[in-house]
Amino acid sequence: MSHSTTTEAASSLLPTYARYPLTLVKGEGSWLWDDTGKRYLDFMSGIAVTNLGHVPRRIKEALVSQLDQLWHVSNLFHIPNQAEAAKLLTDNSCGDAVFFCNSGAEANEAAIKLARRYQQLIQNNGRYEIITFEQSFHGRTLATLTATGQAKVKEGFAPLPEGFKTIPLNDIQALKAAISVNTAAIMLEMVQAEGGIHPVDTDFIQQAAELCEKEGILLIVDEIQTGMGRTGKLFAYEHFGIEPDIFTLAKGLGSGFPVGAMVAKEKLREAFSAGSHGSTFGGTPIATAVVKATIETIVGEHLPNRAAEQGEYLKAQLREKLAGNDFVKEIRGIGLIVGIECAGPVGAILTEAQNEGLLVISAGPNVIRLLPNLLVAKEEIDEAVMILAKLIKAFS
Ligand SMILES: *Cc1c(COP(=O)(O)O)cnc(C)c1O
């Protein structure tokens, strides 16, 4: 079926997604085309996945050349692309050792496992609990949905794994009160993305990092949506003057090819040994060829700086064009992860934007989330802002 008229109730798919009546068939840079030939300006990037735009030439070349060479071998063998991709990650971050997997949830799952194993086998202290934060999002596996601070992702999935505690964000007293002899790690996003584009307070995260250091608690930063240049730094933790013990990546890591990674500091290296964790598809020659090309491009072309500049421009334009609008409560974000918090639900605006040829998503019911690719042009930002300003004005 080429058209989007097929409802999931009548299809062979489980109805896990509320899909828009749109079928996208081609992409290039910031643009997508549907099956009727209509063109869309893409300001969601597959939810922060296609950070280099659609079908980026250099990544495609790396992928095609690897496709001619070798697709898959087991992790029982050395995989040079994997080692090289890992070195690029550790050379450009505070981390020292990488585990590759296939998605964000798996990267967080690996982080939770590594944190527990470090405490239990290296520190010998029996600690297992992971403290996470309200409104966070960490994935859909049983452990990561338990870690997620949103009730809606947990409904109907009991019993949930033990050893997770969720507290309010930016509340250092709540964190102090939550820490116990069982606390293995705290886990958080530097900008809560699904939760509504809420950057963490600098004071809070710096105090939390100090507290972790003092108490022997590991700091896990979920960079799945914020990583790979999106916030104007390669990794968002760099904005806050802290260094996580573990951070996780997926989304933008493969420019659209599915891949995830967990990056850990040296002291955690020995907590995993041969056979303690693994993944059949983790870090295949193909996936890691793409990771290599993605990091080389982002770092080599200074794309975090570009994201910072374009993000400032985007926010400035939004503030100018939406000034004095009662429906707009706040425009916030870091780099190219930007939220427009509105006084009411934004669903109708998203649909209208699609009709006008602009793709944007929400982050919670009242926040319009903008995630253009890092190479987005000023003219494209102007066009998106013009459409949004027009729709928001009509709405308010
Ligand atoms: C998307 C996301 C995840 C989950 O990633 P999947 O690849 O869908 O498993 C986890 N954490 C954050 C912050 C995310 O944005």
Side-chain angles (χ1 to χ4, degrees):
M1 275 269 160
S2 68
H3 267 281
S4 347
T5 43
T6 316
T7 65
E8 232 107 285
S11 83
S12 308
L13 292 168
L14 279 164
T16 43
Y17 307 102
R19 296 184 201 269
Y20 291 113
L22 255 191
T23 303
L24 300 163
V25 294
K26 183 181 150 59
E28 192 186 314
S30 301
W31 298 88
L32 285 161
W33 284 262
D34 74 9
D35 55 356
T36 70
K38 183 175 167 182
R39 191 172 87 138
Y40 299 84
L41 181 54
D42 182 7
F43 265 51
M44 55 186 284
S45 306
I47 315 188
V49 170
T50 52
N51 279 4
L52 303 179
H54 292 282
V55 197
R57 191 185 46 82
R58 192 165 158 191
I59 315 305
K60 179 183 153 186
E61 280 165 9
L63 176 59
V64 169
S65 120
Q66 186 60 46
L67 284 175
D68 281 333
Q69 207 67 39
L70 178 68
W71 292 16
H72 180 87
V73 291
S74 161
N75 274 311
L76 295 171
F77 301 96
H78 289 288
I79 299 175
N81 281 350
Q82 198 181 108
E84 289 161 25
K87 183 155 190 321
L88 282 168
L89 282 172
T90 57
D91 282 353
N92 288 287
S93 76
C94 67
D96 302 295
V98 181
F99 175 81
F100 283 104
C101 53
N102 313 286
S103 69
E106 274 179 276
N108 284 340
E109 190 85 23
I112 293 163
K113 285 181 71 176
L114 184 66
R116 283 189 178 175
R117 217 173 131 94
Y118 169 79
Q119 300 291 11
Q120 293 175 28
L121 294 191
I122 307 291
Q123 296 298 324
N124 260 312
N125 57 20
R127 295 183 186 183
Y128 60 87
E129 195 166 72
I130 315 285
I131 296 175
T132 66
F133 297 88
E134 289 169 8
Q135 298 311 315
S136 63
F137 182 80
H138 297 299
R140 303 285 193 163
T141 62
L142 279 171
T144 58
L145 75 81
T146 307
T148 293
Q150 303 186 38
K152 65 181 182 203
V153 308
K154 309 184 190 200
E155 200 179 72
F157 295 124
L160 300 178
E162 282 175 47
F164 294 87
K165 195 182 271 180
T166 304
I167 62 170
L169 186 65
N170 295 329
D171 183 342
I172 197 73
Q173 294 313 327
L175 179 60
K176 284 181 181 160
I179 287 172
S180 75
V181 290
N182 296 326
T183 308
I186 72 169
M187 175 155 90
L188 77 171
E189 301 152 86
M190 295 294 95
V191 182
Q192 286 190 335
E194 302 302 312
I197 318 297
H198 295 289
V200 68
D201 286 351
T202 304
D203 275 358
F204 169 78
I205 187 59
Q206 289 186 349
Q207 287 177 46
E210 249 172 59
L211 195 58
C212 285
E213 173 87 40
K214 195 173 107 221
E215 305 282 341
I217 294 166
L218 297 170
L219 176 60
I220 304 172
V221 172
D222 180 340
E223 293 266 6
I224 290 163
Q225 192 152 161
T226 52
M228 308 313 292
R230 173 142 305 271
T231 65
K233 302 272 188 195
L234 188 56
F235 305 111
Y237 70 77
E238 297 170 42
H239 288 286
F240 296 91
I242 57 142
E243 288 193 357
D245 297 300
I246 303 173
F247 65 94
T248 51
L249 299 168
K251 295 207 162 87
L253 181 62
S255 300
F257 194 92
V259 58
M262 172 188 65
V263 186
K265 286 210 162 189
E266 189 57 40
K267 68 178 180 192
L268 289 142
R269 186 188 295 271
E270 303 306 322
F272 272 172
S273 50
S276 56
H277 192 54
S279 165
T280 299
F281 291 124
T284 68
I286 301 175
T288 44
V290 171
V291 172
K292 260 169 56 183
T294 299
I295 303 169
E296 280 165 358
T297 303
I298 293 175
V299 172
E301 297 181 11
H302 308 289
L303 296 187
N305 292 344
R306 191 187 158 92
E309 280 167 28
Q310 301 300 71
E312 284 311 308
Y313 181 73
L314 171 59
K315 276 185 288 188
Q317 288 302 303
L318 286 169
R319 286 187 178 128
E320 185 186 317
K321 299 286 173 345
L322 291 167
N325 190 305
D326 295 342
F327 192 61
V328 175
K329 289 178 67 181
E330 192 183 16
I331 293 161
R332 59 175 180 260
I334 315 181
L336 285 173
I337 178 165
V338 172
I340 308 171
E341 181 166 347
C342 296
V346 297
I349 296 173
L350 306 189
T351 311
E352 279 299 311
Q354 278 176 19
N355 296 337
E356 301 272 330
L358 173 68
L359 300 183
V360 286
I361 40 168
S362 57
N366 296 354
V367 178
I368 300 172
R369 174 170 27 164
L370 304 180
L371 299 164
N373 71 75
L374 310 189
L375 291 155
V376 67
K378 280 211 160 72
E379 301 71 46
E380 292 165 344
I381 293 176
D382 291 341
E383 186 167 339
V385 170
M386 188 194 71
I387 294 171
L388 282 172
K390 187 178 89 181
L391 294 177
I392 292 172
K393 270 177 205 151
F395 205 80
S396 44

